């Protein structure tokens, strides 16, 4: 890991993984393996990184991969272009397939009950072309939202009673109550990202219940209080941070994935994974129960 020159106030960042991912996404800490999992969506690759040894691995997936999360049965669950699958001791296996021409997988998150909420979007980002769905350990799939443009960050409050969600073109971070059957209800805005500040992309929730949001074309990660008030900004030299998540042995390091796709002259760090050591305190993320 190398220290970058950029900083905002007293917030310095390091380069955890120097890479040229087209669309890096979904940094997720695997506590059992003590490593970070992240994906390059358009590169169809699942990456891992051990911050202690520096060891990195790369696995090529069957299709464009929107997200990869640790799985209780070993290996990972992946949100692929045509559905949800697992890579593990038994090899590759589809859990759910629903191929739609022109549509691909995007971000996903494991809920406190071990189910996976997985999003989709059209390659052309057409409004209403995406979805948010839930798959449980036994493979049961339930539609959550069916009128989405770019399904992105999803996370839960420390007590599990609230869910946060981003459909990027809305410019909002929304909050839901968790209803019966662990399905979100009562959607309302937590905060709205102002014009010119970029587009909300991936998110994570910390132990204080604050929501950290990566801003695509905003070159920053912001932290919002549970009341929706902005209380911290981590500025970055790359224009397209995509997602953020806490990792490390004590969950205090904030990892940030970035993208270089669509940039005529990408910053040298675009496509790398950055990290802000000691940024806060994250929440333990459960593995997918399937």
């Amino acid at each position: 890991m190398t220290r970058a020159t950029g900083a905002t106030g007293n917030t310095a960042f390091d380069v955890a993984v120097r890479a040229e991912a087209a669309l890096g996404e979904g940094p997720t800490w695997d506590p059992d393996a003590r490593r970070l999992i992240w994906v390059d969506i358009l590169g169809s690759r699942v990456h891992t990184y051990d911050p202690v040894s520096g060891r990195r691995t790369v696995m090529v997936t069957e299709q464009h991969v929107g997200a990869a999360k640790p799985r209780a049965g070993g290996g990972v669950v992946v949100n692929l272009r045509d559905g949800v699958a697992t890579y593990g001791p038994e090899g590759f296996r589809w859990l759910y397939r629903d191929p739609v021409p022109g549509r691909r997988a995007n971000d996903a998150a494991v809920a406190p009950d071990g189910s996976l909420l997985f999003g989709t979007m059209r390659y052309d980002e057409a409004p209403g072309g995406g979805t948010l769905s839930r798959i449980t350990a036994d493979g049961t799939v339930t539609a959550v939202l069916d009128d989405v443009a770019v399904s992105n960050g999803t996370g839960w409050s420390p007590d599990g009673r609230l869910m946060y969600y981003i459909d990027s073109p809305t410019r909002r971070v929304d909050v839901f109550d968790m209803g019966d059957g662990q399905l979100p209800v009562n959607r309302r805005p937590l905060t709205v990202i102002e014009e010119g500040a970029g587009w909300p992309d991936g998110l994570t929730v910390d132990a204080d219940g604050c929501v950290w949001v990566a801003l695509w074309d905003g070159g920053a990660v912001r932290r919002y209080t549970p009341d929706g008030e902005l209380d911290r900004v981590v500025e970055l030299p790359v224009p397209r941070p995509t997602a953020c998540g806490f990792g490390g042995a004590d969950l205090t390091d904030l990892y940030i994935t970035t993208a270089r796709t669509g940039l005529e002259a990408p910053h040298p760090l675009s496509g790398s994974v950055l990290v802000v050591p000691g940024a806060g305190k994250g929440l333990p993320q459960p593995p997918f129960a399937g």
Side-chain angles (χ1 to χ4, degrees), residues 9 18 22 25 35 46 48 67 81 104 108 114 141 144 160 175 197 203 249:
R18 192 173 292 271
E25 262 285 5
R35 64 183 184 179
V46 176
T48 70
R81 184 194 66 202
R104 70 164 174 84
V141 176
V144 177
V175 58
L203 67 78

Side-chain angles (χ1 to χ4, degrees), residues 42-68:
L42 300 180
S44 302
R45 284 167 168 78
V46 176
H47 297 258
T48 70
Y49 166 66
D50 180 338
V52 175
S53 69
R55 183 173 183 266
R56 297 164 54 182
T57 69
V58 181
M59 179 182 71
V60 179
T61 56
E62 306 287 314
Q63 302 174 345
H64 286 165
V65 55

Side-chain angles (χ1 to χ4, degrees), residues 1-7 11-16 18 237 267 269 274-275:
M1 180 158 47
T2 57
R3 172 58 54 91
T5 57
T11 305
F13 63 87
D14 293 335
V15 183
R18 192 173 292 271
H267 187 278
L269 294 179
L274 309 179
V275 61

Side-chain angles (χ1 to χ4, degrees), residues 170-256:
T170 68
R171 289 191 179 275
R172 299 194 312 266
V173 180
D174 287 339
V175 58
F176 296 75
D177 298 314
M178 292 304 295
D180 295 339
Q182 292 299 301
L183 291 175
V185 296
N186 191 25
R187 183 178 187 174
R188 68 270 188 196
L190 175 75
T191 191
V192 179
I193 307 302
E194 68 275 16
E195 293 279 347
W199 304 87
D201 199 328
L203 67 78
T204 194
V205 182
D206 66 22
D208 295 325
C210 294
V211 183
W212 297 72
V213 181
L215 297 180
W216 175 277
D217 281 341
V221 173
R222 291 182 175 183
R223 181 183 191 250
Y224 290 91
T225 69
D227 294 327
E229 297 296 322
L230 176 63
D231 75 343
R232 185 172 174 187
V233 178
V234 178
E235 294 180 357
L236 302 166
V238 295
R240 291 184 167 173
T242 58
C244 52
F246 284 94
D250 52 4
L251 296 178
T252 58
D253 299 331
L254 185 71
Y255 287 92
I256 303 165

